[in-house]
């Protein structure tokens, strides 16, 4: 907190906040046909993205034991989908292909990792049941046994795909996020609230319209609706890898000294401050998430609250977790100005709501002693909290890598994390510098992932972690 910039820089944050929050009572949109088109486009891109991600993720999960595959997938998923979108915008332009690739690439890596973990957890059969044919064992024994977990996680990942598709609108793709950003910039808060409510309805009703009966029809309908798959240009792709991302001194044969000077300048002026601010924001958000979770989880537990309070708190947490961190940060940025405060609040609310839901669920399943205290404060501090604290830390460490990824990408909004310098490099068409900064971002994420994994192993909670996201929709 000492190193964090938490200054409020707007002239009158109170008045602006009142204007924003009171606009919920006058929701409307200028052109409902445009909103409907954005609504359909958001769903269609998310459906196709998860369809391709399932295919590639399932195939890659079969080779997850390979060190090379694990390293490649760790690098791929450590780069946020918004960064991928900014990269593909330079190659393919502003179209559906860019949106799909931006989501499919990191999501395939994530699904491959989780699918492999789920299948490994369910690999408990004796040698007699395994048989001699590995393919038959895999198809007829291993997958059917793990299928409920695979489906549950895939449904959750689709919810994430909807959020990712929405925020792609902030880079120009005409999803719900595009019109949300446009309405906010014009001060049309009544439109902002309508777009958010529409998005909440989409997320809350996923189980009704995204299931085993509707999946294939949705995929076909999405293919038919999204007809803009143009933009693939082999020459652009070749130029990107052979020229654009090659460091300027190397590309122009300026020698070793010029290359070192080029790197040193970027390291001192951008990598060092960007990485420092990313780490500061990550750790601050992690701490705030922990505090918020410890405050909120009793509200969704029947051991501390009555049924009306629990339902109200559950709805509140669903709204918070359904709102992408990027959108929350964007809203707070308009209210409080550019600093780490909007980003920290957004990451705290989103991740705190997720962990609070999970811990509250665990608390409900907890069996108390017969002689347990009747006082809620004593029950909280001396009975429940000590018993769930290890699991709480495990969930917190599980979200650490995600918070790091989000801290980096929130720099696109003007907060001086690594994302700020990556976005600036893209605007200046310095793609060699952009690629170097992306490598640093990926390295930080992989480092945090390794540390958090070791921490979870130390807490002896690893067997629960792969199920963390699975239970989020329950």
């Amino acid at each position: 907190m000492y190193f964090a910039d938490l200054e409020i820089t707007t002239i009158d944050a109170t008045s602006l906040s009142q204007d924003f929050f009171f606009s919920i009572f006058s929701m409307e949109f200028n052109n409902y046909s445009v909103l409907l088109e954005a609504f359909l486009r958001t769903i269609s891109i998310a459906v196709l993205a998860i369809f391709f991600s399932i295919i590639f993720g399932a195939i890659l999960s079969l080779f997850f034991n390979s060190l090379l595959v694990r390293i490649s997938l760790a690098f791929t998923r450590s780069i946020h989908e918004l960064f991928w979108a900014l990269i593909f915008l330079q190659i393919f332009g502003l179209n559906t292909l860019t949106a799909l690739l931006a989501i499919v690439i990191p999501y395939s890596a994530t699904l491959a990792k989780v699918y492999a973990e789920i299948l490994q957890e369910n690999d408990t059969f004796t040698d007699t049941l395994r048989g001699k044919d590995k393919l038959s064992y895999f198809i007829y024994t291993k997958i059917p046994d793990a299928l409920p977990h695979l489906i549950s996680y895939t449904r959750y990942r689709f919810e994430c795909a909807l959020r990712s598709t929405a925020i792609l609108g902030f880079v120009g793709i005409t999803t719900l996020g595009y019109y949300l950003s446009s309405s906010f910039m014009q001060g049309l808060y009544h439109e902002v609230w309508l777009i958010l409510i529409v998005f909440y309805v989409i997320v809350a009703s996923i189980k009704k319209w995204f299931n085993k009966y509707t999946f294939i029809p949705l995929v076909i309908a999405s293919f038919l609706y999204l007809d803009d798959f143009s933009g693939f240009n082999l020459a652009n792709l070749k130029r990107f890898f052979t020229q654009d991302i090659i460091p300027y001194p190397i590309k122009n044969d300026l020698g070793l000294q010029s290359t070192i000077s080029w790197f040193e300048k970027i390291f001192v002026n951008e990598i060092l401050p960007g990485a420092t601010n990313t780490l500061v924001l990550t750790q601050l958000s992690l701490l705030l998430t922990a505090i918020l979770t410890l405050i909120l989880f009793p509200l969704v537990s029947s051991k501390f609250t009555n049924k009306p309070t629990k339902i109200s708190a559950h709805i509140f947490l669903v709204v918070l977790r359904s709102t992408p961190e990027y959108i929350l940060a964007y809203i707070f940025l308009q209210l409080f100005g550019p600093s780490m405060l909007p980003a920290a609040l957004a990451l705290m609310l989103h991740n705190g709501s997720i962990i609070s839901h999970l811990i509250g669920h665990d608390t409900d399943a907890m069996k108390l002693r017969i002689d347990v205290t009747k006082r809620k404060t004593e029950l909280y501090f001396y009975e429940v909290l000590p018993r769930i604290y290890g699991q709480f830390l495990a969930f917190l460490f599980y979200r650490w890598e995600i918070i790091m990824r989000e801290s980096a990408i929130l720099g696109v909004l003007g907060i001086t994390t690594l994302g700020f310098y990556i976005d600036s490099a893209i605007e200046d068409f310095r793609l060699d510098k952009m690629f170097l900064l992306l490598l640093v971002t990926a390295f930080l994420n992989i480092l945090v992932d390794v540390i958090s994994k070791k921490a979870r192993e130390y807490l002896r909670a690893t067997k629960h972690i792969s199920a963390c996201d699975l239970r989020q929709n329950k």
Side-chain angles (χ1 to χ4, degrees), residues 165-215:
T165 304
I167 67 171
L168 290 182
F170 286 83
V171 297
I173 296 167
T174 53
T175 58
L176 286 171
Y178 176 83
Y179 296 101
L180 180 74
S181 171
S182 176
S183 298
F184 226 128
M185 291 175 67
Q186 298 176 66
L188 304 175
Y189 302 134
H190 53 280
E191 293 188 356
V192 171
W193 277 112
L194 183 60
I195 294 170
L196 286 174
I197 295 298
V198 167
F199 186 72
Y200 294 148
V201 170
I202 295 173
V203 173
S205 61
I206 282 178
K207 290 184 179 180
K208 302 294 182 183
W209 55 270
F210 186 78
N211 51 55
K212 61 183 179 181
Y213 303 110
T214 62
F215 182 61

Side-chain angles (χ1 to χ4, degrees), residues 295-351:
I295 294 172
L296 288 184
F297 86 82
L299 299 179
V300 290
S301 171
S302 56
K303 289 182 171 56
F304 295 97
T305 57
N306 54 35
K307 191 172 182 179
T309 304
K310 182 180 177 180
I311 293 174
S312 301
H314 178 71
I315 293 172
F316 176 68
L317 294 183
V318 166
V319 169
L320 285 180
R321 86 160 195 249
S322 299
T323 309
E325 300 98 315
Y326 193 90
I327 291 178
L328 283 173
Y330 185 82
I331 292 172
F332 290 135
L333 192 68
Q334 310 306 311
L335 299 179
F336 305 126
S339 71
M340 287 189 184
L341 180 60
L345 289 175
L347 291 168
M348 173 191 72
L349 291 172
H350 182 81
N351 291 283

Side-chain angles (χ1 to χ4, degrees), residues 219-272:
V219 170
I220 296 172
S222 298
F223 265 117
L224 296 175
Y225 182 76
L226 297 172
D227 53 357
D228 179 21
F229 293 97
S230 60
F232 182 80
N233 189 313
L234 188 60
N236 287 346
L237 187 63
K238 183 179 179 181
R239 188 198 70 240
F240 180 80
F241 286 106
T242 59
Q243 297 183 37
D244 292 346
I245 64 173
I246 304 299
Y248 177 79
I250 296 176
K251 184 168 55 179
N252 292 277
D253 296 323
L254 298 181
L256 179 62
Q257 189 61 40
S258 295
T259 303
I260 294 174
S261 177
W262 174 85
F263 176 79
E264 184 180 4
K265 183 179 179 181
I266 295 174
F267 180 81
V268 173
N269 296 328
E270 301 187 21
I271 292 177
L272 197 58

Side-chain angles (χ1 to χ4, degrees), residues 2-19:
Y2 178 80
F3 292 103
D5 173 21
L6 303 174
E7 184 181 1
I8 297 176
T9 57
T10 48
I11 297 174
D12 190 357
T14 304
S15 176
L16 191 60
S17 299
Q18 289 177 347
D19 291 342

